Amino acid sequence: DSGVTQTPKHLITATGQRVTLRCSPRSGDLSVYWYQQSLDQGLQFLIQYYNGEERAKGNILERFSAQQFPDLHSELNLSSLELGDSALYFCASSDSGGEVDTQYFGPGTRLTVL
Amino acid sequence: ELKVEQNPLFLSMQEGKNYTIYCNYSTTSDRLYWYRQDPGKSLESLFVLLSNGAVKQEGRLMASLDTKARLSTLHITAAVHDLSATYFCAVATRDSNYQLIWGAGTKLIIKP
């Protein structure tokens, strides 16, 4: 158990809908990262937050957005969902978001868009 | 563009054998990570390699880094079934703003 928690574990929804995925980092970690893992695209970095501020953006679609709250938990919002958004979404955390930090991954949220 | 290539992508081997997974990357790297993922599960950190010639070992797994060749290897000694998983390498560089760039993963199946 990495200490990173994610809810929900599974989510099934329809195209066009909006969902919110939640992540709580390890105690004391200030950085949160979001990743998407799909069979055809592999593991893709979406976005990083550090202590409430956006630090880096990866391959995140405009339909997706995220935020990190004062208590350091983070939410990833996915809107206008498409079939291709079906994937495993991971949150990871690290203590400072520095150059050497190891990222610790949560159990993931499996999103199925029908 | 920083690219990370792993090979092989799939490996089926017998228990007791030795094998090596390779991770090549396309530009100077400051650090390299190895992770393990069991089917349908999360990713677990195995090793962080920070300098040329770095070698780390945990049980039957040993990782090494050659920054001049831009190559890391993950060596499995006397494989056991419990090591069956997908192994990912990831690289962070100044060019990627220290965000991790991931290899495609090597799916390892170890047969009794």
Side-chain angles (χ1 to χ4, degrees):
Chain A
D1 185 352
S2 68
V4 179
T5 60
Q6 289 186 248
T7 57
K9 286 187 179 180
H10 303 277
L11 200 47
I12 301 174
T13 188
T15 55
Q17 295 299 305
R18 174 188 169 94
V19 297
T20 297
L21 313 183
R22 183 189 168 102
C23 167
S24 292
R26 295 186 319 159
S27 177
D29 283 0
L30 299 177
S31 266
V32 169
Y33 309 78
W34 285 99
Y35 290 90
Q36 179 193 59
Q37 186 178 38
S38 59
L39 286 175
D40 56 344
Q41 294 288 327
L43 196 63
Q44 299 284 322
F45 166 67
L46 297 178
I47 197 164
Q48 177 198 358
Y49 277 81
Y50 172 74
N51 202 20
E53 300 287 329
E54 181 184 306
R55 175 167 275 196
K57 259 186 177 179
N59 299 319
I60 188 166
L61 299 172
E62 286 192 8
R63 301 183 286 110
F64 296 180
S65 65
Q67 54 184 329
Q68 186 180 27
F69 294 87
D71 67 352
L72 301 178
H73 90 272
S74 178
E75 293 181 356
L76 179 67
N77 301 295
L78 315 175
S79 61
S80 303
L81 285 167
E82 302 175 0
L83 296 177
D85 297 327
S86 296
L88 201 49
Y89 291 83
F90 287 109
C91 163
S93 74
S94 68
D95 58 3
S96 67
E99 298 170 5
V100 190
D101 286 356
T102 294
Q103 296 179 24
Y104 296 90
F105 281 74
T109 294
R110 182 169 296 280
L111 173 66
T112 303
V113 182
L114 301 175
Chain B
E1 181 188 352
L2 173 58
K3 291 186 179 178
V4 180
E5 293 185 352
Q6 286 182 239
N7 69 84
L9 297 182
F10 180 80
L11 177 57
S12 178
M13 55 193 289
Q14 295 293 128
E15 276 191 327
K17 300 290 186 183
N18 303 332
Y19 211 82
T20 300
I21 299 170
Y22 298 89
C23 175
N24 292 273
Y25 51 95
S26 60
T27 190
T28 304
S29 170
D30 298 312
R31 62 228 58 204
L32 189 138
Y33 302 78
W34 283 98
Y35 282 81
R36 167 184 172 147
Q37 185 179 33
D38 292 314
K41 303 291 186 180
S42 185
L43 285 87
E44 174 190 358
S45 173
L46 294 174
F47 303 108
V48 181
L49 303 169
L50 300 177
S51 59
N52 188 42
V55 177
K56 290 196 175 179
Q57 183 162 5
E58 179 75 32
R60 300 174 188 274
L61 300 177
M62 184 174 70
S64 65
L65 179 62
D66 181 344
T67 58
K68 293 179 182 177
R70 298 178 185 171
L71 171 69
S72 179
T73 60
L74 181 66
H75 187 74
I76 302 144
T77 302
V80 292
H81 178 68
D82 286 352
L83 291 179
S84 296
T86 298
Y87 293 86
F88 291 91
C89 66
V91 170
T93 79
R94 201 169 299 164
D95 292 343
S96 70
N97 200 25
Y98 295 105
Q99 296 308 314
L100 295 183
I101 308 299
W102 295 80
T106 296
K107 184 171 184 177
L108 176 63
I109 295 177
I110 300 170
K111 300 178 181 178

